[in-house]
Amino acid sequence: LSVASERSDIVFDQSLGSELQFIGLVRYLLEYGDVDLNWVDNRGMTPMQLAKQRGFDSVIQLLSAYAEN
């Protein structure tokens, strides 16, 4: 999952661990960061697409809720 913040691009790779290991960080970035859900990585993938690709249902729910606001 890739999330762009004001200060830098933060990339969550599958090698960092499971969904549960970084769900709190994703929630924090959505709440306090300047998140661009349309940001794309070097493969043209958005955060939502990456979460779906990896089956991270909790991240998908968070991103969907954030997008609605």
Side-chain angles (χ1 to χ4, degrees):
L1 168 67
S2 302
V3 178
S5 71
E6 264 184 356
R7 291 178 268 160
S8 65
D9 289 340
I10 300 171
V11 177
F12 297 99
D13 195 340
Q14 196 169 9
S15 63
L16 292 177
S18 73
E19 173 186 10
L20 294 177
Q21 291 176 312
F22 64 83
I23 191 74
L25 181 54
V26 171
R27 183 176 286 126
Y28 178 86
L29 289 171
L30 290 172
E31 188 171 336
Y32 298 107
D34 181 21
V35 177
D36 179 8
L37 293 179
N38 296 312
W39 181 84
V40 294
D41 67 8
N42 61 351
R43 297 170 293 166
M45 302 279 288
T46 66
M48 183 69 79
Q49 291 170 323
L50 290 166
K52 286 180 181 179
Q53 179 185 51
R54 295 191 177 127
F56 290 168
D57 295 333
S58 296
V59 173
I60 293 166
Q61 290 174 352
L62 282 174
L63 293 176
S64 294
Y66 180 83
E68 291 175 4
N69 293 326

